[in-house]
Amino acid sequence: MKDKRPAQKPTSPDNYKNTHFTKEEYEALENQFKSLTKDNVHTKAGKLDRTQFRDVLHTTFKMTDDMILDRVFRAFDEDSDSYINLNEWINGLSIFLRGNLSERAKYCFDVYDLNGDGFISREEMFHLLKHSLTKQPTEEDPEEGTKDLVEIVMKKMDNDHDNRISFKDFEITLQEEPLLLEAFGNCLPEPEVIRTYEATFWDQDAT
């Protein structure tokens, strides 16, 4: 029986203008996405599911933290349908790979805002930092060390003193210290990994 796949909506020739990619790069990413999803049928035709997305982040972008991978998926999934479509994929990669500080700040904040209420609470901060610290062997009690770290970070970032970190707090802190962008966990690829991936834009075999 022949598969009945919904036709992929044609992309506008000017879509690339809304990203940090050139027209040629956009088309190369589109071809790569079609290659990644070519065997998908039914409800996920022309889309990446959560498992496929995590596999790409793991194998291509060397990201291995399960909790962060899940949050990155949610950040890419703009319409919250539990799939990544072509536009979400390219728009997400635009920030993921080439976003300016403001764009990356919003992306990282959304990853760290675990319950999506627009703030990073002490509990969320504790959960994120504890998750990172428990991966590093130490003689100290990771829970106590995490509590101390939460207090240090809260004092540093909570500019309006309401015991939670808003996006405005996060932005103000990053303007002073950009290196704190990934303070609660690595959710962006390393520069060397980005360069390696960008080289595949011109791999015509990806089609």
Side-chain angles (χ1 to χ4, degrees), residues 45-141:
K47 299 178 180 180
L48 287 175
D49 64 21
R50 189 183 300 268
T51 300
Q52 290 174 309
F53 182 82
R54 287 164 62 99
D55 286 346
V56 172
L57 290 189
H58 178 68
T59 59
T60 304
F61 297 112
K62 314 305 178 188
M63 299 175 70
T64 58
D65 187 314
D66 286 338
M67 183 173 69
I68 293 294
L69 289 178
D70 184 62
R71 294 301 307 166
V72 172
F73 178 86
R74 290 173 183 270
F76 271 65
D77 182 19
E78 297 172 4
D79 60 9
S80 301
D81 69 344
S82 297
Y83 295 100
I84 306 299
N85 62 39
L86 174 62
N87 286 334
E88 290 170 337
W89 174 247
I90 296 183
N91 290 341
L93 286 180
S94 178
I95 295 172
F96 197 63
L97 303 176
R98 298 184 180 176
N100 57 40
L101 181 59
S102 178
E103 290 171 328
R104 289 188 170 200
K106 182 64 170 68
Y107 159 79
C108 289
F109 185 87
D110 288 345
V111 169
Y112 301 144
D113 177 15
L114 301 181
N115 66 1
D117 68 350
F119 298 93
I120 302 173
S121 66
R122 285 178 180 272
E123 291 75 18
E124 288 171 326
M125 204 181 300
F126 180 85
H127 189 59
L128 288 161
L129 292 174
K130 182 181 179 182
H131 185 71
S132 297
L133 289 177
T134 51
K135 293 183 175 183
Q136 303 173 16
T138 176
E139 294 180 1
E140 297 181 9
D141 179 357

